[in-house]
Amino acid sequence: VATSLALASNLTAQASARVSASNVAVRIEADRPVYHTGDVVKVRMTVQNMSGHPVRMFDGPHTLTSGFRVLDANAEEVKRVPYSGPPTGGGSFVNLRAGERKIFKGSGRHEWTNLRDWGYDLQAPGQYTLVGYLATFAKDARPDQRGVKSNEVTITITK
């Protein structure tokens, strides 16, 4: 069973429209495919409203709005490390217009975030798969709609 990061994003459609995984898409990127041991792995997460109507969502610290899951070459989840970035808190609700994209900014509000700030410190050489998640906690969401999964990104750590 996969363990995901604590997520506290709220995606709710305006009026009576319902939010589902088909209404928003989440994309993650790494700033490059290969890193050396000790390099900072930088990642970026973008959400796009794929519906024809506005979606209201919480825009706050990355540790509250989204998360990552990192798997090693054996598809085992990598052990997380405690968050050591600046304090998180605050945020506000924003409306994402139909088709609009929003980059989730991490600690320091930068669009490229150190993967360690998400709880992963990849020091061992190997191949890793990154998957991002955005939580949806709409009151009427079915259990399969409570999280939106991103694409997968594979990176390699070398000596």
Side-chain angles (χ1 to χ4, degrees), residues 40-51:
V40 173
V41 177
K42 291 185 180 179
V43 294
R44 176 168 62 184
M45 182 181 288
T46 305
V47 63
Q48 182 174 5
N49 180 352
M50 304 300 286
S51 73

Side-chain angles (χ1 to χ4, degrees), residues 30-32 35-36 38-43 112-118 120-122 130 155-157:
D31 66 334
R32 59 185 202 256
Y35 300 84
H36 297 287
D39 286 353
V40 173
V41 177
K42 291 185 180 179
V43 294
W112 289 97
T113 306
N114 185 340
L115 189 61
R116 192 177 199 311
D117 290 350
W118 298 87
Y120 295 97
D121 189 15
L122 305 180
L130 314 176
I155 63 170
T156 302
I157 307 291

